[in-house]
């Protein structure tokens, strides 16, 4: 989905007119119309404002051009419901909500996370040893563990 379609969907899902959206964002109705026609896109400050007001990540607003992966555990973050939040409730697109919540990391060490992953990812297909070996190799590649 393109940015123009996402912006129109956000507006219609919230059952507001272009005029009402323009007032919320302190822009003209014509600006909203141009966004929805694909003639322009909001600037970064307006994207941040839309993200906050309508509770949607900037990555989603831009049509999900980046495939987000938690930089703590490596989990793909395919929709906004799993993206972490800061204390002010803004999105932190680097981490999932299970590794980082309200501005704080849940796991204090890589070993603590490894223990959790081994307990929850081991199954008939992967032994605890295989899970530990896999994540012991993958986790150090992620931003949080550098």
């Amino acid at each position: 989905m393109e940015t123009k379609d996402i912006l129109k969907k956000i507006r219609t899902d919230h059952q507001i007119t272009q005029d009402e959206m323009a007032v919320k964002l302190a822009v003209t109705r014509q600006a909203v119309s141009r966004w929805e026609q694909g003639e322009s896109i909001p600037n970064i400050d307006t994207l941040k404002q839309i993200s906050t007001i309508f509770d949607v990540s900037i990555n989603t607003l831009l049509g999900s051009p980046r495939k987000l992966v938690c930089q703590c555990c490596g989990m793909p973050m395919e929709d906004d419901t799993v993206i972490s939040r800061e204390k002010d409730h803004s999105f932190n697109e680097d981490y999932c909500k299970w590794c980082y919540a309200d501005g704080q990391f849940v796991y204090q060490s890589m070993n603590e996370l490894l223990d959790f992953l081994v307990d929850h990812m081991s199954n008939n297909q992967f032994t605890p040893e295989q899970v530990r070996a896999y994540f012991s190799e993958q986790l150090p590649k992620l931003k949080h563990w550098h």
Side-chain angles (χ1 to χ4, degrees):
M1 195 180 280
E2 293 181 48
T3 299
K4 66 179 187 153
D5 302 317
I6 294 162
L7 291 169
K8 185 170 185 173
K9 182 175 180 352
I10 289 168
R11 182 178 60 75
T12 57
D13 285 354
H14 284 84
Q15 300 177 333
I16 60 175
T17 65
Q18 287 182 345
D19 284 319
E20 292 167 324
M21 186 169 198
V23 168
K24 286 182 181 286
L25 299 172
V27 299
T28 65
R29 185 204 54 78
Q30 291 83 357
V32 175
S33 176
R34 284 192 301 274
W35 301 338
E36 291 183 2
Q37 295 301 314
E39 295 170 9
S40 66
I41 61 169
N43 64 36
I44 190 67
D45 291 330
T46 305
L47 286 171
K48 288 178 184 176
Q49 202 176 7
I50 294 167
S51 173
T52 300
I53 293 170
F54 297 102
D55 200 33
V56 61
S57 74
I58 290 175
N59 193 57
T60 295
L61 288 173
L62 295 176
S64 300
R66 296 182 299 141
K67 297 299 176 199
L68 300 177
V69 174
C70 177
Q71 293 300 303
C72 182
C73 70
M75 181 183 82
M77 298 185 295
E78 296 177 0
D79 66 60
D80 289 354
T81 63
V82 299
I83 297 174
S84 68
R85 303 281 185 146
E86 295 291 351
K87 285 184 180 188
D88 66 1
H89 301 289
S90 63
F91 286 97
N92 182 326
E93 295 181 357
D94 286 337
Y95 303 103
C96 71
K97 67 181 182 181
W98 296 285
C99 289
Y100 185 84
D102 295 323
Q104 294 187 1
F105 287 99
V106 174
Y107 303 101
Q108 302 309 309
S109 70
M110 191 182 305
N111 283 333
E112 185 180 347
L113 175 57
L114 279 170
D115 290 343
F116 175 85
L117 292 169
V118 167
D119 287 346
H120 291 85
M121 302 293 285
S122 302
N123 56 34
N124 293 339
Q125 207 171 11
F126 300 103
T127 66
E129 294 77 19
Q130 289 172 315
V131 171
R132 184 171 297 279
Y134 174 79
F135 283 106
S136 291
E137 183 180 323
Q138 297 302 314
L139 293 179
K141 297 175 184 176
L142 300 171
K143 177 175 147 180
H144 180 64
W145 303 110
H146 282 261

